[in-house]
Amino acid sequence: MEQGDTERVAALLRQGKKIEAIKILRETENLSLVDAKARAEQLQVELGLVNPSQSGQSGCSTSVVVLAAVLSVIYLVLG
């Protein structure tokens, strides 16, 4: 990736436009969606925009909590 592209991706990430940054990474580095997302998250960490522990984990804990709540309701209704 050329320097101008790197700066453009970094600027988008700083603005919170992660999806746009991923699109540019896919185009300029010929990456798959998964690889471009991982690269964008790596850049966010390198730029100090997120903690390394937060990278790539958005929504995971929420899904677990929702699943636990649904299972609890099912248990209460059927049990």
Side-chain angles (χ1 to χ4, degrees):
M1 183 163 49
E2 294 183 21
Q3 183 65 26
D5 294 328
T6 302
E7 292 171 6
R8 191 167 143 205
V9 168
L12 288 168
L13 291 172
R14 286 187 189 100
Q15 295 168 17
K17 297 180 179 180
K18 185 175 174 181
I19 293 172
E20 294 299 319
I22 290 170
K23 288 179 183 178
I24 292 171
L25 286 167
R26 290 191 73 196
E27 293 170 7
T28 59
E29 294 190 10
N30 198 27
L31 297 173
S32 69
L33 179 58
V34 172
D35 291 339
K37 181 179 179 283
R39 179 69 180 123
E41 290 170 351
Q42 177 187 8
L43 287 169
Q44 285 180 307
V45 171
E46 290 174 11
L47 294 168
L49 301 174
V50 296
N51 266 331
S53 61
Q54 294 173 326
S55 179
Q57 295 183 4
S58 62
C60 184
S61 59
T62 302
S63 298
V64 171
V65 170
V66 169
L67 178 61
V70 168
L71 291 174
S72 296
V73 169
I74 291 172
Y75 177 77
L76 291 173
V77 170
L78 298 177

